[in-house]
Amino acid sequence: MRNEPLATLNGETIRGREVKVRFAASSCSVKVANLSPLVSNELLEEAFSLFGEVESAVVVTDERGKSLGYGIVDFSRKSQAITSIQRCKTGHFLLTKTAMPVLVTEMTRDSLDEGLPDRTLPKNNVYFAERDCVPRFAEPGTIEFEIASRWAAFYDHEKVMRDELEVRVKEEKANVEKEIQQLLEQHQTLVIRQEIARHQQEQMRLAAALREQETRMQHGGPPLPPGMMHHHHPQPLFPGLVGPGNGGGPMSMSPSSMQQHSSMQQNPSMQQQQQQLRAQDDHARAPPLIGNAPPGAAVQPPFIPPPLMAQMLLNSRN
C-alpha cells in the first residue's frame, strides 16, 4: 500500500533534515466530511478499506495539527471510490461511537498533507469511549439509526439553507451596487448643475456690465475700466456652440442694424424709447436661476439685443 512509506519514513530525520512524504494526484479520491475530532488517518483508512484497497487516507488539519473535520481517501480504482460514495449516500456510515454519519463526495486534489496521525491524538477517556467500536453502517430500526437519520436530515437542511443564503447575499450585493451607481449619477448631476449655475452667473455679470457701459456712454460718463469688461470671459456652457452669450466672438451686424444705430444717435428721443424697449426685453428674456427653474427646464444664457451689441462693439473700438 502506498501508505507504508508514510508510516515508516514520514517525520524521520535523515542527514539533519525531516522527511515529508507526499502523494501524487489521484482521480480515485473521495472527500469524507463530518469527521469526529478523534478520527485519525489510521481509522479513516481502516474504515474505507471496507469499499476496496485504500492507497492513502489523510485527515486534513490546520496549522496547529487539529482536525478540520474532513479527510481525503485515495482508492486504487475509480470503481471503488464510486462504490464508497453510493453506499454512504444510501446508508449511514459511522466511524465512532457517536451516531453521526459521514458525508462522502468525489474530490480531486494535487497533493496531501501529513494529516492527523493516530499518534498525535490524546489518549484520554473520550478517545477510548469513542473508539470502542468499529466503523459500520447503522442498522435500521435501532436508536443508532434514528440518531443518524436526524443528523442526515440536518445535513440536507443545512445545504438548502446555505444555498438560499448564497442567493440572498448575491441579491444584496447587486442592490448595493445599484445604489452606489445611483449615488454616483446624482453626484454627477449636482456637479453639472453647479457648473451651469456658475456659467449663468458669469454671463449675467457680463450682461450687467455691458448695460452699465452703455448707460455711461449715453450720459457722457467715463467708460468702465477694461478689466470689468474683458477680464472674466465666460466659457462656453457646451463645447462646440460658439456665439454671443456662449463665450463666442462678436456678432456681425446687418446693414439695417447699422442704419438703425445711426438714426438712434441722431434722434435722442428715439434713443430713449429704444433704451426702454431694450430694458423691457432684457427683463422678459432674463433666464431663471437654477433654483427657481422647473425640473428638466433648459437654462438659456442671457439675451443681448442686436442694437445693444452694436453699441458695445462701437464703444470698444472707440
Side-chain angles (χ1 to χ4, degrees):
M1 291 177 59
R2 218 168 43 160
N3 231 1
E4 293 178 358
L6 179 61
T8 58
L9 295 178
N10 190 61
E12 295 290 332
T13 301
I14 300 178
R15 295 181 182 179
R17 294 186 178 182
E18 184 181 1
V19 176
K20 294 284 187 180
V21 178
R22 298 291 182 267
F23 302 113
S26 173
S27 61
C28 306
S29 302
V30 295
K31 177 181 178 181
V32 184
N34 296 329
L35 293 180
S36 165
L38 299 175
V39 174
S40 62
N41 299 338
E42 292 80 0
L43 178 57
L44 189 62
E45 178 184 346
E46 176 188 352
F48 279 81
S49 297
L50 177 65
F51 308 110
E53 182 182 356
V54 176
E55 294 190 347
S56 67
V58 174
V59 176
V60 180
T61 60
D62 60 13
E63 65 277 1
R64 296 174 297 177
K66 292 184 179 295
S67 173
L68 294 178
Y70 70 95
I72 298 175
V73 178
D74 271 342
F75 290 95
S76 61
R77 297 180 181 179
K78 181 77 171 180
S79 59
Q80 298 169 347
I82 296 176
T83 300
S84 68
I85 294 174
Q86 293 176 344
R87 290 196 60 185
C88 291
K89 279 185 178 180
T90 57
H92 303 318
F93 192 43
L94 311 177
L95 272 62
T96 61
K97 196 168 186 178
T98 301
M100 180 179 290
V102 296
L103 291 178
V104 182
T105 55
E106 185 177 0
M107 180 178 183
T108 302
R109 82 283 183 274
D110 296 331
S111 62
L112 288 177
D113 200 350
E114 181 182 0
L116 185 63
D118 193 69
R119 67 178 184 273
T120 62
L121 292 176
K123 305 304 187 291
N124 50 27
N125 294 333
V126 177
Y127 172 87
F128 290 109
E130 283 293 317
R131 299 286 291 266
D132 186 24
C133 62
V134 295
R136 68 221 177 270
F137 281 97
E139 290 291 338
T142 64
I143 184 62
E144 192 176 55
F145 185 87
E146 179 67 21
I147 295 174
S149 299
R150 298 288 181 89
W151 278 114
F154 171 76
Y155 298 157
D156 295 339
H157 183 61
E158 181 184 23
K159 183 179 184 305
V160 172
M161 292 179 64
R162 289 185 182 277
D163 292 343
E164 292 177 351
L165 179 61
E166 184 177 359
V167 172
R168 290 178 56 187
V169 169
K170 290 181 179 179
E171 292 177 351
E172 290 294 332
K173 182 180 179 181
N175 292 335
V176 171
E177 291 175 347
K178 183 178 180 180
E179 292 175 358
I180 292 176
Q181 182 63 28
Q182 293 176 351
L183 183 62
L184 291 174
E185 292 176 356
Q186 292 174 1
H187 176 71
Q188 293 175 355
T189 301
L190 178 61
V191 171
I192 293 174
R193 288 181 177 178
Q194 292 175 346
E195 186 69 12
I196 292 176
R198 187 180 66 82
H199 281 282
Q200 183 185 24
Q201 293 174 359
E202 182 68 16
Q203 291 180 352
M204 294 178 66
R205 184 201 64 79
L206 178 60
L210 293 175
R211 285 192 287 269
E212 184 178 355
Q213 174 79 329
E214 180 184 14
T215 302
R216 285 172 176 262
M217 298 300 294
Q218 289 176 357
H219 293 82
L224 290 175
M228 296 185 64
M229 295 294 296
H230 305 288
H231 183 65
H232 298 288
H233 291 284
Q235 299 296 325
L237 285 173
F238 304 99
L241 297 180
V242 180
N246 197 37
M251 179 183 290
S252 60
M253 297 182 61
S254 62
S256 59
S257 299
M258 294 294 294
Q259 182 178 2
Q260 182 181 10
H261 174 68
S262 177
S263 301
M264 287 170 55
Q265 289 184 332
Q266 296 176 5
N267 191 342
S269 61
M270 181 182 297
Q271 187 175 2
Q272 293 179 358
Q273 294 177 1
Q274 291 292 338
Q275 183 178 356
Q276 294 176 356
L277 291 175
R278 284 199 302 271
Q280 296 175 358
D281 187 64
D282 290 347
H283 180 74
R285 292 176 179 267
L289 293 176
I290 289 184
N292 299 327
V299 180
Q300 300 293 335
F303 176 80
I304 302 178
L308 179 58
M309 180 62 72
Q311 181 68 37
M312 290 161 43
L313 295 174
L314 290 176
N315 292 338
S316 62
R317 294 174 182 175
N318 294 334

